[in-house]
Amino acid sequence: MPIHQSLISPTANPELERALRERIERRAAISGGLGELEPLAVRLGLVQETLTPRFREPTLALFAADHGIAVEGIGLLHGNSTRELALLALQNKLPVSVFARLQGLHLSVVDCGIAEQIAPHPLLLARKIAHGTRNSRLGVAMSMEQAHAGVRVGMEIAATFEGNVLACAGLGQGSEESAALVLARLSDRPLSSFILTHVDKPQEAAEHLLARLQNALNRHRDVHEPMDVLAALGGFELAVMVGAMLVAASKRSLIIVDGLAACAALRLAALIAPPVTDYAVFCRSHAQQGLDEAMALFRASALLELGMQSSDGTGAALAWPLIRSAAALLSELHEVADRLSPSGHGDLPVLTQAIGGPDSRP
């Protein structure tokens, strides 16, 4: 692999972490604590290796692809094909598109392997590896050459991004099921733990699908290496996300992980270069238990719990203001905090003189 673990630096830095926490504590002494926002701020400082983290040109990327496993009884996601969902996102007709625009996130739809052709669009990155993967119940989902090609595409995409924030989400028929297969194989946990349940799917149909997916997992029971698992069970969007995450971490960019597919990609990336997880924060666009199991693999929880049942990427767009606010605790408020001593009385006479208080008398 072109990216080696040594190119991704762990964020652990005891001296910087101590300075970040002291800065947060000085601010809290003035105006009170802000709960979970404070450790998030420290995390952002460690990611950027600075006392004043700042963001530039954040990107929300929807990695889209079709999957051969979808023929095993997977219903259309929200009644739309992968191509139709991609077009809705590009045409500003999905909540994720609107929220991203409102929050200042650059939205990009990456065609990693949509089965149908899709017309050029300013927000579309055409990086198709193939017209969808094969059915992993019958054989490998992709060749090893395609798996490596997908990772390289992701690396190239992340290398061209000028910003220091990359939010990742998957899009496509069979994407969640493919991700569940990958996570189950890499974690040795039951496949049923990661399957996202849908209330509109009859119990009999759900059981049939689980049995089919278990057949796929059993077929590749001897596959364990990350790239082998990706080729046997994964999707092209996972391959591209893996490469994008590796390069984003090597550039000390923040990685926002939203959804089961993004969790599966991060799991694969972490087996290639473990420090990549230092750069990840997690969001969620739905309340499915399978996603809880996926985030538990990283000992993580979502930044926001809104009870949504939306498409992946929506949670990332809504969590972005929270992330920006956490960074602002360090980058925007530190000057005020530094002027005041821990007792809260540092430059109080000067301040009261400025507003005509008691100390302004001659």
Side-chain angles (χ1 to χ4, degrees), residues 23 41 73 99 138 148 156 172 187 191 212 244 249 260 274 289 313:
R23 178 160 288 184
F99 296 153
L138 304 178
H148 281 284
E156 293 167 2
S187 65
L191 174 62
R212 294 296 220 178
L260 203 68
Q289 185 176 352

mmCIF file of all heavy atoms in Angstrom, residues 23 41 73 99 138 148 156 172 187 191 212 244 249 260 274 289 313:
data_model
loop_
_atom_site.group_PDB
_atom_site.id
_atom_site.type_symbol
_atom_site.label_atom_id
_atom_site.label_comp_id
_atom_site.label_asym_id
_atom_site.label_seq_id
_atom_site.Cartn_x
_atom_site.Cartn_y
_atom_site.Cartn_z
ATOM 1 N N ARG A 23 -6.327 25.561 29.056
ATOM 2 C CA ARG A 23 -7.000 26.668 28.377
ATOM 3 C C ARG A 23 -8.520 26.540 28.520
ATOM 4 O O ARG A 23 -9.206 27.532 28.781
ATOM 5 C CB ARG A 23 -6.599 26.681 26.905
ATOM 6 C CG ARG A 23 -7.274 27.747 26.081
ATOM 7 C CD ARG A 23 -6.511 28.013 24.808
ATOM 8 N NE ARG A 23 -5.272 28.714 25.096
ATOM 9 C CZ ARG A 23 -4.428 29.140 24.168
ATOM 10 N NH1 ARG A 23 -4.684 28.926 22.890
ATOM 11 N NH2 ARG A 23 -3.327 29.772 24.494
ATOM 12 N N ALA A 41 -13.301 19.754 22.026
ATOM 13 C CA ALA A 41 -12.366 20.832 21.695
ATOM 14 C C ALA A 41 -10.927 20.372 21.860
ATOM 15 O O ALA A 41 -10.065 20.646 21.009
ATOM 16 C CB ALA A 41 -12.645 22.054 22.576
ATOM 17 N N GLY A 73 -32.711 -9.695 -2.229
ATOM 18 C CA GLY A 73 -33.948 -9.319 -1.558
ATOM 19 C C GLY A 73 -33.879 -8.023 -0.804
ATOM 20 O O GLY A 73 -34.726 -7.747 0.055
ATOM 21 N N PHE A 99 -28.888 20.907 4.225
ATOM 22 C CA PHE A 99 -28.178 21.165 5.472
ATOM 23 C C PHE A 99 -26.700 21.453 5.216
ATOM 24 O O PHE A 99 -26.104 22.327 5.865
ATOM 25 C CB PHE A 99 -28.320 19.972 6.419
ATOM 26 C CG PHE A 99 -29.731 19.696 6.864
ATOM 27 C CD1 PHE A 99 -30.121 18.415 7.219
ATOM 28 C CD2 PHE A 99 -30.667 20.711 6.920
ATOM 29 C CE1 PHE A 99 -31.419 18.159 7.629
ATOM 30 C CE2 PHE A 99 -31.976 20.462 7.329
ATOM 31 C CZ PHE A 99 -32.350 19.174 7.686
ATOM 32 N N LEU A 138 -22.156 -15.443 -4.207
ATOM 33 C CA LEU A 138 -21.778 -16.390 -5.257
ATOM 34 C C LEU A 138 -20.280 -16.400 -5.540
ATOM 35 O O LEU A 138 -19.774 -17.334 -6.172
ATOM 36 C CB LEU A 138 -22.541 -16.056 -6.547
ATOM 37 C CG LEU A 138 -24.066 -16.022 -6.432
ATOM 38 C CD1 LEU A 138 -24.685 -15.627 -7.761
ATOM 39 C CD2 LEU A 138 -24.601 -17.357 -5.940
ATOM 40 N N HIS A 148 -7.742 -2.574 -4.893
ATOM 41 C CA HIS A 148 -6.608 -1.655 -4.803
ATOM 42 C C HIS A 148 -6.860 -0.390 -5.625
ATOM 43 O O HIS A 148 -6.472 0.713 -5.213
ATOM 44 C CB HIS A 148 -5.332 -2.353 -5.268
ATOM 45 C CG HIS A 148 -4.734 -3.267 -4.239
ATOM 46 N ND1 HIS A 148 -4.029 -2.801 -3.160
ATOM 47 C CD2 HIS A 148 -4.769 -4.620 -4.117
ATOM 48 C CE1 HIS A 148 -3.627 -3.813 -2.424
ATOM 49 N NE2 HIS A 148 -4.066 -4.938 -2.979
ATOM 50 N N GLU A 156 -6.289 9.605 -4.132
ATOM 51 C CA GLU A 156 -6.162 10.727 -5.063
ATOM 52 C C GLU A 156 -7.196 11.810 -4.769
ATOM 53 O O GLU A 156 -6.890 13.013 -4.825
ATOM 54 C CB GLU A 156 -6.325 10.217 -6.493
ATOM 55 C CG GLU A 156 -5.193 9.307 -6.950
ATOM 56 C CD GLU A 156 -5.523 8.558 -8.231
ATOM 57 O OE1 GLU A 156 -6.632 8.790 -8.777
ATOM 58 O OE2 GLU A 156 -4.700 7.742 -8.682
ATOM 59 N N GLY A 172 -26.122 3.964 -1.539
ATOM 60 C CA GLY A 172 -26.314 2.949 -2.573
ATOM 61 C C GLY A 172 -27.074 1.724 -2.101
ATOM 62 O O GLY A 172 -27.070 1.382 -0.909
ATOM 63 N N SER A 187 -14.682 -8.306 12.840
ATOM 64 C CA SER A 187 -14.848 -8.228 14.293
ATOM 65 C C SER A 187 -15.175 -9.566 14.932
ATOM 66 O O SER A 187 -15.163 -9.696 16.153
ATOM 67 C CB SER A 187 -15.968 -7.246 14.641
ATOM 68 O OG SER A 187 -17.220 -7.727 14.175
ATOM 69 N N LEU A 191 -23.313 -11.502 12.524
ATOM 70 C CA LEU A 191 -23.774 -10.630 11.448
ATOM 71 C C LEU A 191 -25.042 -9.880 11.838
ATOM 72 O O LEU A 191 -25.210 -8.713 11.502
ATOM 73 C CB LEU A 191 -24.016 -11.464 10.187
ATOM 74 C CG LEU A 191 -24.628 -10.759 8.979
ATOM 75 C CD1 LEU A 191 -23.708 -9.645 8.484
ATOM 76 C CD2 LEU A 191 -24.912 -11.760 7.867
ATOM 77 N N ARG A 212 -29.531 -15.145 3.634
ATOM 78 C CA ARG A 212 -28.755 -14.978 2.408
ATOM 79 C C ARG A 212 -27.411 -14.310 2.689
ATOM 80 O O ARG A 212 -26.364 -14.695 2.155
ATOM 81 C CB ARG A 212 -29.544 -14.143 1.406
ATOM 82 C CG ARG A 212 -30.807 -14.809 0.890
ATOM 83 C CD ARG A 212 -30.475 -16.053 0.098
ATOM 84 N NE ARG A 212 -31.319 -16.175 -1.085
ATOM 85 C CZ ARG A 212 -31.224 -17.145 -1.973
ATOM 86 N NH1 ARG A 212 -30.301 -18.067 -1.835
ATOM 87 N NH2 ARG A 212 -32.011 -17.194 -3.017
ATOM 88 N N ALA A 244 -9.456 7.480 0.986
ATOM 89 C CA ALA A 244 -9.669 8.884 1.354
ATOM 90 C C ALA A 244 -9.369 9.116 2.826
ATOM 91 O O ALA A 244 -8.753 10.121 3.208
ATOM 92 C CB ALA A 244 -11.105 9.290 1.033
ATOM 93 N N ALA A 249 -6.102 11.452 7.114
ATOM 94 C CA ALA A 249 -5.393 11.357 8.393
ATOM 95 C C ALA A 249 -3.928 11.725 8.238
ATOM 96 O O ALA A 249 -3.341 12.363 9.123
ATOM 97 C CB ALA A 249 -5.532 9.947 8.960
ATOM 98 N N LEU A 260 -23.072 3.216 8.705
ATOM 99 C CA LEU A 260 -22.465 1.896 8.767
ATOM 100 C C LEU A 260 -21.364 1.723 7.727
ATOM 101 O O LEU A 260 -20.310 1.135 8.005
ATOM 102 C CB LEU A 260 -23.543 0.824 8.573
ATOM 103 C CG LEU A 260 -23.230 -0.559 9.131
ATOM 104 C CD1 LEU A 260 -23.203 -0.513 10.654
ATOM 105 C CD2 LEU A 260 -24.258 -1.579 8.657
ATOM 106 N N PRO A 274 -3.411 1.871 12.069
ATOM 107 C CA PRO A 274 -4.208 2.089 13.278
ATOM 108 C C PRO A 274 -4.396 3.545 13.708
ATOM 109 O O PRO A 274 -5.483 3.903 14.168
ATOM 110 C CB PRO A 274 -3.449 1.290 14.343
ATOM 111 C CG PRO A 274 -2.796 0.186 13.579
ATOM 112 C CD PRO A 274 -2.401 0.801 12.262
ATOM 113 N N GLN A 289 -29.874 0.016 15.730
ATOM 114 C CA GLN A 289 -28.986 -0.611 16.701
ATOM 115 C C GLN A 289 -27.706 -1.128 16.048
ATOM 116 O O GLN A 289 -26.648 -1.158 16.678
ATOM 117 C CB GLN A 289 -29.704 -1.755 17.409
ATOM 118 C CG GLN A 289 -28.886 -2.390 18.526
ATOM 119 C CD GLN A 289 -29.654 -3.452 19.276
ATOM 120 O OE1 GLN A 289 -30.850 -3.628 19.073
ATOM 121 N NE2 GLN A 289 -28.967 -4.168 20.145
ATOM 122 N N GLY A 313 -25.036 10.936 6.096
ATOM 123 C CA GLY A 313 -24.536 12.254 5.725
ATOM 124 C C GLY A 313 -25.345 13.358 6.372
ATOM 125 O O GLY A 313 -24.809 14.429 6.667
#
